[in-house]
Amino acid sequence: MPQALEAKPMTLTVHLDPAPLRVDANGDVRVGDTRVLLDLVVRAFEEGAMPETIVARYSTLGLADVYGVLAYYLHHREEVGEYLRWREERAREVRRKIEAQQGDLGDIRARLLARQVRQEANHAVPGE
């Protein structure tokens, strides 16, 4: 009679990997060792993109990192939401400063075209 094999329990070591996020010198959160911002990954996900699509969109990202970022986001939506709102406000402030320095650019196309016409008129050969 064959001897029954004794089943040895299988164990799995559960690793607690940190979220693949880092804060750069400007306070912006980036994914892993890439320059891709957390904002971009979260926005793509919220718009319905699958992790594989996000990796295709940002080729420097790894699939495991995208899943890790999304898991972090899903576990910490409130904190990430606050961070994203802070980033949006900061972006609005930068836009206001730039607009204040540049003045009204609403008619820039018309001014550039008028300047081009003047330059062409100044360079026209008499008698043509």
Side-chain angles (χ1 to χ4, degrees):
M1 170 175 225
Q3 192 173 19
L5 294 176
E6 189 176 316
K8 292 184 181 180
M10 177 62 191
T11 60
L12 173 67
T13 302
V14 177
H15 300 275
L16 299 177
D17 295 332
L21 297 169
R22 66 180 170 82
V23 179
D24 69 13
N26 297 318
D28 301 322
V29 178
R30 299 193 183 269
V31 179
D33 293 330
T34 73
R35 298 190 65 207
V36 178
L37 293 165
L38 170 65
D39 314 37
L40 300 174
V41 174
V42 170
R43 185 178 309 126
F45 178 70
E46 287 179 339
E47 291 172 354
M50 299 297 294
E52 292 80 3
T53 305
I54 297 170
V55 169
R57 198 177 288 175
Y58 304 102
S59 62
T60 57
L61 293 177
L63 188 57
D65 283 348
V66 172
Y67 273 103
V69 166
L70 295 177
Y72 181 85
Y73 166 63
L74 293 171
H75 284 287
H76 304 281
R77 279 185 184 232
E78 189 172 319
E79 291 171 70
V80 173
E82 287 176 25
Y83 166 75
L84 296 177
R85 285 187 291 282
W86 172 77
R87 295 256 309 149
E88 289 169 7
E89 179 56 35
R90 199 170 90 177
R92 279 192 291 275
E93 288 174 17
V94 169
R95 273 193 297 279
R96 282 193 291 267
K97 286 179 184 178
I98 291 170
E99 289 168 357
Q101 290 175 349
Q102 292 178 340
D104 182 22
L105 298 177
D107 65 340
I108 193 165
R109 179 171 165 67
R111 288 186 290 159
L112 290 172
L113 290 173
R115 184 172 78 183
Q116 181 181 10
V117 168
R118 283 192 308 274
Q119 287 175 341
E120 289 172 357
N122 290 338
H123 290 50
V125 177
E128 280 190 5

